[in-house]
């Protein structure tokens, strides 16, 4: 099936990007998509055996260079994210946690030893990483975090809580953001069995069911002093990781929107009411035209954003515009597609309702829609509405 590409952007991909797209598309098509509903109904996460296959396909940190990482372009990274989220936002989400959040943090701020120890295994999907910024009491405002890391001899002692952490309970290594005794945010690598660490998955999740989300507690949790990320100082360090991941999300959700659009279009052409296909009704055509227009606009935003990023000229506020617009667009597409599908839109014979409930989370994480509105508001007015 040709995917919606109304302004013929796809032929502009180079051979590396096409290869990256096709490898991930093939893996998703053969090993993941056919089993999604079974896993979802059984309440199962993505099976562990698929992590190495995803690693082999270049899904983890596609744009990171060296240390066994795929070493592809930003555009290739973006296209990979779109392919994953065409299938499921939870699949893209676990790749975001692994690549642009966890691996990027180690790549950008880690010591040579930390990079050599962790990046090759993480890129291959032989180990999992999580990225722990959010706390129960501090979501949109991570500057308020209460987790602390105090140096004692050759160790750091961590105390505090982290909430909503992707793969938090099973990660081999966790990038944990905490304040030092001067109140400055720093990054720490906390290994799987660190003494004083407790982790539990958050129960009752009705969205992003393919990916695991956990809560972490640090009670005098001791880690070696060498586990501090030496290059990370201040909140700008974790926010820099978020910039990487938000860019991928602004591409990923285009995949989810395309999936919804095609499901709605196919159904509208085959479903008859009042003696004709519902695709012939003007109100249905208006919805399809809206989807084509908004997906195309989002694609143009995403492509230009990737170009700005590759040129080194991108500003975080430009990434916020794309995350805000494209996630909203995808969520609206999912709602419209669900509407066109009528009653059948709520069952898992179609991917639409799954995309809809997933996108509700994507609307909130990596900066809520409203937080990105305020980032843009501050950029254009010069006045912060946060405090
Ligand atoms: P503010 O004073 O604005 O900034 C502090 C320092 O950081 C710099 N900065 C950034 N740097 C890189 N990228 C960005 N996006 C940046 N935004 C800000 C800034 O220049 C400053 O640097 P310096 O050197 O002057 O200190 O900080 P603030 O406390 O006022 O906060 C601003 C705000 C609200 C925008 C920020 O806190 C924010 O983005 N909040 C949203 C929190 C969030 O997005 N959390 C996400 C958690 S991870 C997650 O959700 C993973 S989901 C899994 C998946 O992706 O699939
Ligand atoms: P809050 O910050 O409490 O916001 C609640 C509401 O208040 C929102 O509508 C928000 O827009 C609004 N609001 C807040 N402040 C303002 C303001 N100043 N003006 C106007 N409105 C405001 N975090 C991680 O660190 N690592 C992860 O791996 C991770 N994975 C996640 C996976 C899932 C499935 C989910 C749901 C979340 C995940 N998160 C992760 C956390 C996510 O980033 C936070 O949920 C998000 O930042 C919002 O924080 P909050 O949920 O505490 O909401």
């Amino acid at each position: 099936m040709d995917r919606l590409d109304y302004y013929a952007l796809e032929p502009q991909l180079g051979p590396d990007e096409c290869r990256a797209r096709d490898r991930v598309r093939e893996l998703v098509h053969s090993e993941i998509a056919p089993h999604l509903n079974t896993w979802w109904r059984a309440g199962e996460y993505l099976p562990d055996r698929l992590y190495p296959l995803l690693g082999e396909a270049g899904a983890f940190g596609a744009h990171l260079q060296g240390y066994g990482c795929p070493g592809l372009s930003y555009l290739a990274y973006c296209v990979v994210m779109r392919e994953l989220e065409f299938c499921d936002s939870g699949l893209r989400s676990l790749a975001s946690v692994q690549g642009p959040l966890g691996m990027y943090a180690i790549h950008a701020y880690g010591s040579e030893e930390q990079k050599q120890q962790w990046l090759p295994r993480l890129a291959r999907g032989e180990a999992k990483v999580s990225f722990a910024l959010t706390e129960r009491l501090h979501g949109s405002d991570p500057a308020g975090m209460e987790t602390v890391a105090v140096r004692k001899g050759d160790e750091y002692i961590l105390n505090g809580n982290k909430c909503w952490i992707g793969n938090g309970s099973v990660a081999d290594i966790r990038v944990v953001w905490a304040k030092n005794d001067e109140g400055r945010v720093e990054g720490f690598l906390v290994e799987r069995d660190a003494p004083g660490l407790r982790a539990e998955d958050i129960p009752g999740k009705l969205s992003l069911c393919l990916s695991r989300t956990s809560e972490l507690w640090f009670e005098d949790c001791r880690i070696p002093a060498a586990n501090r990320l030496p290059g990370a100082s201040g909140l700008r360090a974790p926010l820099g990781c978020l910039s990487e991941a938000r860019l991928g999300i602004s591409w990923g959700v285009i995949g989810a929107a395309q999936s919804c659009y095609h499901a709605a279009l196919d159904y509208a052409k085959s479903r008859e009411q009042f003696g004709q296909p519902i695709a012939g009704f003007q109100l249905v055509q208006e919805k399809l035209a809206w989807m084509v227009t908004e997906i195309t606009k989002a694609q143009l935003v995403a492509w230009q954003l990737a170009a700005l990023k590759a040129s080194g000229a991108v500003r975080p506020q430009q990434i916020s515009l794309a995350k805000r617009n494209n996630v909203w667009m995808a969520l609206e597409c999912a709602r419209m597609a669900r509407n066109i599908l009528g009653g059948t839109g709520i069952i898992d014979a179609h991917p639409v309702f799954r995309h809809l409930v997933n996108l509700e989370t994507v609307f909130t994480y990596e900066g809520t829609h409203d937080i990105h509105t305020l980032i843009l508001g501050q950029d254009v007015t010069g006045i912060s509405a946060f405090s």
Side-chain angles (χ1 to χ4, degrees):
M1 176 192 70
D2 281 342
R3 295 190 188 162
L4 179 68
D5 182 22
Y6 210 71
Y7 273 15
L9 291 163
E10 205 70 2
Q12 295 177 32
L13 292 177
D16 281 359
E17 285 92 20
C18 288
R19 252 193 309 277
R21 175 197 63 196
D22 295 344
R23 279 201 307 176
V24 171
R25 188 177 289 190
E26 205 177 298
L27 174 67
V28 165
H29 182 73
S30 61
E31 299 287 337
I32 299 175
H35 310 293
L36 264 181
N37 286 344
T38 309
W39 295 329
W40 190 285
R41 286 186 188 194
E44 288 170 10
Y45 301 117
L46 186 81
D48 281 347
R49 68 174 178 81
L50 290 169
Y51 278 79
L53 298 184
L54 283 162
E56 203 182 320
F60 298 142
H63 61 303
L64 299 178
Q65 310 291 320
Y67 305 99
C69 299
L72 299 173
S73 63
Y74 273 106
L75 192 52
Y77 155 64
C78 293
V79 169
V80 163
M81 291 294 159
R82 186 192 64 191
E83 289 307 311
L84 294 173
E85 199 150 355
F86 185 90
C87 176
D88 188 83
S89 301
L91 182 61
R92 195 271 309 141
S93 197
L94 60 84
S96 291
V97 168
Q98 183 91 351
L101 292 175
M103 287 171 65
Y104 177 81
I106 297 171
H107 197 276
Y109 311 123
S111 66
E112 189 58 28
E113 294 72 34
Q114 290 166 345
K115 291 182 207 185
Q116 285 185 8
Q117 182 181 1
W118 288 108
L119 291 175
R121 289 178 60 208
L122 293 170
R124 289 197 296 268
E126 291 169 8
K128 299 190 186 78
V129 60
S130 63
F131 179 90
L133 178 64
T134 305
E135 301 183 356
R136 261 193 195 206
L137 302 181
H138 306 281
S140 295
D141 182 18
M145 72 172 68
E146 293 173 55
T147 301
V148 288
V150 176
R151 176 87 188 245
K152 283 230 171 98
D154 288 344
E155 292 182 326
Y156 278 95
I157 314 290
L158 272 66
N159 277 289
N161 157 273
K162 294 285 170 185
C163 200
W164 300 110
I165 307 308
N167 267 342
S169 64
V170 293
D172 300 277
I173 191 76
R174 300 167 183 81
V175 175
V176 177
W177 302 96
K179 285 181 176 166
N180 65 17
D181 39 19
E182 291 166 359
R184 190 162 185 77
V185 173
E186 295 194 296
F188 300 89
L189 297 181
V190 178
E191 299 191 24
R192 183 183 265 271
D193 299 319
L197 167 69
R198 190 159 60 86
E200 281 174 22
D201 288 341
I202 295 176
K205 210 158 57 105
L206 300 174
S207 168
L208 291 191
C209 295
L210 205 58
S211 59
R212 193 185 293 265
T213 313
S214 322
E215 182 158 9
L216 308 175
W217 293 267
F218 304 90
E219 287 151 9
D220 289 331
C221 173
R222 299 197 323 274
I223 60 166
N227 284 18
R228 186 177 71 90
L229 295 175
S233 176
L235 193 60
R236 66 164 29 245
L239 292 182
C241 305
L242 296 187
S243 281
E244 297 288 307
R246 289 167 178 171
L247 197 155
I249 289 175
S250 71
W251 273 76
V253 292
I254 290 169
Q258 286 173 317
S259 171
C260 292
Y261 164 75
H262 287 294
L265 178 62
D266 289 350
Y267 185 80
K269 288 202 279 195
S270 63
R271 172 73 174 170
E272 293 196 1
Q273 288 295 291
F274 300 97
Q276 69 169 86
I278 61 169
F281 295 127
Q282 291 178 0
L283 288 174
V284 173
Q285 288 188 3
E286 193 275 338
K287 292 180 182 64
L288 293 168
W290 189 94
M291 287 189 228
V292 171
T293 307
E294 291 303 325
I295 293 172
T296 303
K297 283 156 66 180
Q299 285 170 323
L300 291 168
V301 166
W303 276 73
Q304 178 59 12
L305 187 70
L308 284 171
K309 176 71 183 173
S311 75
V314 78
R315 295 190 303 121
Q317 294 84 351
Q318 292 169 320
I319 299 175
S320 285
L321 187 152
K323 195 274 183 185
R324 177 179 184 275
N325 178 75
N326 291 11
V327 177
W328 163 79
M329 173 286 296
L331 189 51
E332 288 301 309
C333 278
R335 286 181 182 143
M336 267 183 205
R338 213 293 304 150
N339 182 348
I340 289 173
L341 287 162
T344 194
I346 69 153
I347 61 173
D348 62 11
H350 306 279
V352 172
F353 204 67
R354 182 168 42 74
H355 282 307
L356 178 53
V357 295
N358 281 341
L359 289 164
E360 287 289 351
T361 290
V362 185
F363 194 75
T364 282
Y365 71 23
E366 293 271 8
T368 70
H369 185 82
D370 289 342
I371 289 298
H372 289 295
T373 305
L374 299 182
I375 290 171
L376 293 176
Q378 179 173 2
D379 195 37
V380 297
T381 64
I383 303 167
S384 169
F386 290 114
S387 49

